[in-house]
Amino acid sequence: MIIDIHGHYTTAPAALGAWRDLQIAGLKDPSKAPKASELKISDDDIRETIETNQLKLMKQRGSDLTIFSPRASFMAHHIGDFETSSTWAAICNELCFRVSQLFPEHFIPAAMLPQSPGVDPATCIPELVKCVEQYGNVAINLNPDPSGGHWTSPPLYDRHWYPIYEKMAEYDIPAMVHVSTSCNACFHTTGAHYINADTTAIMQLIQGDLFKDFPTLKFIVPHGGGAAPYHWGRYRGLAQELKKPLLADHLLKNVFFDTCVYHQPGIDLLTKVIPVDNILFASEMIGAVRGIDPETGFNYDDTRRYIEASTLLSPEQKQQIYEGNARRVYPRLDQALKAKGL
């Protein structure tokens, strides 16, 4: 199988965005606030948006299964309060669950959390539990910066986050570290804020000793780990100065990188620097970069082409990236596939 671990419902029916606009308007004028029950999206609406977009491209590009979560830029945890985020997360998670029910061979859900700046992460637990126990979610997305580019939350190694980590350990689910929209004009959402957050997460995890408390915890740092692989010597050196163990022991038993890197030299560097055991196939399509690369004639986010073209990876290593690592890092995914005889 070829498993894409990083997919978002970026093509959700227009009614979802219209409902969200009303929810945001309702923050200033409560008379405009919609009820969740007023959002009407039919199964046919979902089928149309998936069959003509994600599923069409999956078939064209040769991937089999996508771990599917709500649109990252739509999470926007900085908007409103916890109740705002709670209602919004529940709606978005239910939609991804419905996608997985309508297309069970091709999609399996991962949850966004109802995070809100300054709010105890323990408030996210009920939604997390529901998504795992009722929806069969195999992972969560964890936003290390719910403030939207102002970084008001403690670092990831802080006990502030432990309520979520405890549930992750209990359910044996990984978290993809994924920020949302930037509301700081200095940081373009997908070009700067995302990559900054990936890099920041790596450094935070190096600074702390989180995995001493949670030895089974697993994080996926998307977009190829941001700048971290390119500067791996810097991080090895900083860990050494901080009197931390070698990164192979301090980080790489628990931290993994995806292949959302949109050119061949980037993938080649990733596979040279990061052990194959720590790389998982992903495309994030249809996502941040949707255009065609004039140098290749193919879409930037057609990441399978880069893996296939690699002269550094053996066929066995490519299959490890495509499937083997995902089944190891996402145990509930592996269980779901085995239940289907796969």
Side-chain angles (χ1 to χ4, degrees), residues 81-201:
D81 56 15
F82 171 74
E83 291 303 320
T84 308
S85 287
S86 181
T87 302
W88 181 233
I91 286 171
C92 292
N93 285 330
E94 182 185 20
L95 271 181
C96 288
F97 169 63
R98 289 175 64 189
V99 170
S100 73
Q101 293 295 101
L102 291 169
F103 302 95
E105 302 304 314
H106 298 289
F107 297 92
I108 195 163
M112 69 175 273
L113 299 178
Q115 297 175 246
S116 188
V119 177
D120 186 344
T123 56
C124 296
I125 299 304
E127 181 68 18
L128 188 161
V129 170
K130 179 189 74 177
C131 286
V132 172
E133 296 191 357
Q134 297 181 31
Y135 294 169
N137 280 225
V138 299
I140 60 171
N141 290 343
L142 180 64
N143 185 349
D145 174 36
S147 71
H150 295 289
W151 291 91
T152 58
S153 295
L156 289 170
Y157 59 77
D158 191 271
R159 297 190 69 87
H160 168 83
W161 301 100
Y162 276 31
I164 291 176
Y165 298 160
E166 288 165 359
K167 274 298 174 185
M168 288 172 59
E170 177 186 340
Y171 285 130
D172 201 8
I173 56 170
M176 178 172 283
V177 180
H178 208 308
V179 289
S180 185
T181 299
S182 170
C183 56
N184 184 334
C186 295
F187 303 112
H188 182 277
T189 293
T190 55
H193 186 43
Y194 282 14
I195 306 304
N196 292 347
D198 304 332
T199 311
T200 298

Side-chain angles (χ1 to χ4, degrees), residues 12-27:
L16 179 67
W19 188 95
R20 176 63 161 171
D21 289 341
L22 290 175
Q23 186 193 36
I24 294 172
L27 296 174

